[in-house]
């Protein structure tokens, strides 16, 4: 199974929950950080990185000598990543989505495939658990192509081994967040009982409910703020799978880089129960699927 830990906004404790789930998950799995703009899971898990792989994307490179200025490529590109200024053909690699259409359509073979570096994939392990992390190149604007490559390589690996995947997804509800959760089985949404947390939880629900995934809530800093978040979850039939109490001690443990599940028996029990609920939910789905 694939489970994504997501949140409507940053700073809710999403990575803390992902790291703690990784600490108690009862069956073989890969811990994956797809928050490629700010991959922080490694700070909690301290993986041994075995190798780093560069990931790039094909972008067109123009040969002005061959170009007859027919405009076919310009008219094809939906992203304005190639244009003609008078008789000068210009390409804008940062805007290119790598579809390859312009290269295929050029009647003069004036466009060939070059590479734009997107970022890196770090492969490693935490004990006997596999670890993978994407890291976007500084200055790169588009994270989904790197995330797609990360997911595709991971899937190839997992087709040979039957293992679960725990994904630390990017925060928010924009394209990268949706991309990270869209082919998972279960989404764990981390929020907090504050007006900001509730606002972003509503956005996250609007973005993720249409994906038709199993979804449950982890309420971080429970006891802080109001009970509106409980009422919202009830109205949307969203189960609250775990509550992490609000305390200075827990905040300090987090700030010092501790994995909460390893910090105290009380916290460990919360995450063990959370992992059991996620697995039970998935088991029910599998049984319904096979019924
Ligand atoms: S590869 Fe696709 S996105 Fe990139 S410039 Fe060509 S047509 Fe546009
Ligand atoms: S399709 Fe080829 S020949 Fe036509 S404008 Fe583009 S690069 Fe030039």
């Amino acid at each position: 199974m694939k489970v994504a830990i997501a949140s409507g906004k940053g700073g809710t404790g999403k990575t803390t929950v992902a790291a703690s789930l990784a600490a108690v998950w009862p069956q073989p799995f890969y811990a994956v950080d797809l928050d490629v703009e700010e991959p922080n899971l490694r700070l909690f898990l301290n993986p041994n990185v075995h190798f780093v792989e560069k990931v790039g994307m094909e972008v067109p490179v123009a040969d002005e000598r061959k170009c007859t200025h027919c405009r076919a490529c310009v008219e094809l590109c939906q992203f304005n990543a190639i244009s003609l200024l008078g008789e000068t053909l210009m390409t804008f690699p940062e805007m290119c989505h790598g579809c390859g259409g312009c290269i295929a359509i050029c009647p003069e073979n004036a466009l060939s495939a070059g590479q734009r570096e997107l970022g890196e994939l770090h492969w490693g392990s935490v004990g006997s658990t596999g670890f993978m992390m994407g890291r976007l190149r500084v200055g790169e604007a588009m994270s989904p192509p790197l995330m797609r490559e990360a997911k595709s390589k991971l899937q190839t690996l997992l087709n040979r081994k039957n293992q679960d995947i725990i994904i630390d997804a990017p925060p928010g509800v924009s394209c990268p967040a949706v991309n990270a959760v869209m082919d998972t089985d279960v989404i764990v949404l981390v929020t907090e009982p504050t007006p900001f947390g509730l606002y972003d939880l509503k956005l996250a629900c609007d973005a993720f409910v249409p994906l038709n995934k199993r979804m449950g809530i982890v309420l971080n800093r429970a006891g802080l703020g109001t009970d509106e978040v409980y009422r919202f979850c009830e109205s949307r039939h969203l189960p609250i799978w775990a509550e992490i109490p609000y305390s200075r001690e827990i905040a300090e443990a987090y700030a010092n880089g501790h994995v909460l599940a390893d910090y105290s028996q009380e916290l460990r029990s919360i995450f063990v129960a959370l992992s059991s609920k996620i697995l039970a939910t998935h088991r029910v789905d599998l049984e319904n699927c096979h019924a």
Side-chain angles (χ1 to χ4, degrees), residues 20 23 36 40 50-51 70 77 93 109 125 165 169 176 179 187 190 219 238 244 262 265 274 277-278 281:
S20 285
V36 298
N40 286 335
H50 305 312
F51 67 97
C70 72
C77 185
N109 288 328
S125 60
I165 305 182
N179 198 293
I187 301 173
V190 183
L219 203 54
L238 280 171
I244 303 167
D262 292 335
Q265 195 49 49
L274 173 61
K277 282 178 190 163
I278 295 169
T281 299

Side-chain angles (χ1 to χ4, degrees), residues 71-110:
R71 298 191 64 84
C73 57
V74 178
E75 278 154 27
L76 178 86
C77 185
Q78 301 292 302
F79 305 103
N80 299 321
I82 189 159
S83 78
L84 267 169
L85 280 182
E87 298 215 328
T88 305
L89 185 70
M90 299 182 74
T91 58
F92 303 96
E94 296 300 324
M95 293 162 73
C96 173
H97 286 230
C99 72
C102 55
I103 298 170
I105 205 174
C106 177
E108 310 296 339
N109 288 328

Side-chain angles (χ1 to χ4, degrees), residues 12-288:
T12 54
K14 170 182 64 63
T15 303
T16 312
V17 171
S20 285
L21 264 185
V24 300
W25 199 252
Q27 49 197 45
F29 70 101
Y30 247 83
V32 176
D33 196 344
L34 284 184
D35 187 359
V36 298
E37 290 181 35
E38 282 182 89
N40 286 335
L41 190 58
R42 76 203 149 91
L43 300 178
F44 291 98
L45 299 186
N46 292 315
N48 284 318
V49 173
H50 305 312
F51 67 97
V52 176
E53 170 182 10
K54 297 264 185 222
V55 176
M57 187 171 78
E58 274 194 2
V59 295
V61 176
D63 183 342
E64 278 284 346
R65 291 165 307 173
K66 293 184 182 171
C67 178
T68 54
H69 314 118
C70 72
R71 298 191 64 84
C73 57
V74 178
E75 278 154 27
L76 178 86
C77 185
Q78 301 292 302
F79 305 103
N80 299 321
I82 189 159
S83 78
L84 267 169
L85 280 182
E87 298 215 328
T88 305
L89 185 70
M90 299 182 74
T91 58
F92 303 96
E94 296 300 324
M95 293 162 73
C96 173
H97 286 230
C99 72
C102 55
I103 298 170
I105 205 174
C106 177
E108 310 296 339
N109 288 328
L111 297 171
S112 58
Q115 280 281 316
R116 174 174 116 217
E117 189 187 327
L118 293 170
E120 297 171 340
L121 298 182
H122 294 224
W123 297 88
S125 60
V126 184
S128 58
T129 295
F131 175 86
M132 191 263 266
M133 167 187 108
R135 173 181 267 160
L136 199 66
R137 176 179 60 82
V138 173
E140 172 58 52
M142 284 191 285
S143 56
L146 175 63
M147 294 167 72
R148 274 197 296 276
E149 188 69 14
K151 288 195 294 182
S152 154
K153 294 208 162 172
L154 193 64
Q155 193 56 53
T156 307
L157 191 76
L158 293 181
N159 285 344
R160 282 182 268 131
K161 303 176 184 179
N162 188 17
Q163 294 202 346
D164 297 333
I165 305 182
I166 296 176
I167 296 172
D168 187 14
V173 293
S174 60
C175 198
V178 174
N179 198 293
V181 305
M182 64 191 300
D183 50 11
T184 58
D185 303 296
V186 178
I187 301 173
V188 176
L189 269 178
V190 183
T191 188
E192 56 188 19
T194 62
F196 308 109
L198 178 60
Y199 178 79
D200 291 306
L201 176 62
K202 287 177 179 170
L203 291 179
C205 286
D206 290 346
F208 298 152
V209 165
L211 299 175
N212 216 11
K213 308 283 179 193
R214 281 286 191 170
M215 215 153 69
I217 304 297
V218 170
L219 203 54
N220 193 15
R221 304 185 187 101
L224 177 75
T226 70
D227 62 358
E228 272 186 77
V229 73
Y230 294 92
R231 290 205 294 273
F232 173 76
C233 291
E234 204 177 327
S235 70
R236 294 290 192 98
H237 307 291
L238 280 171
I240 295 178
W241 281 337
E243 295 187 43
I244 303 167
Y246 175 57
S247 85
R248 186 185 174 93
E249 189 187 357
I250 293 176
E252 282 180 358
Y254 167 74
N256 288 322
H258 290 290
V259 174
L260 293 186
D262 292 335
Y263 187 70
S264 73
Q265 195 49 49
E266 182 201 357
L267 288 167
R268 188 167 193 87
S269 304
I270 290 172
F271 288 105
V272 168
L274 173 61
S275 66
S276 300
K277 282 178 190 163
I278 295 169
L279 286 163
T281 299
H282 186 53
R283 230 175 355 256
V284 169
D285 285 345
L286 286 179
E287 282 163 12
N288 288 342

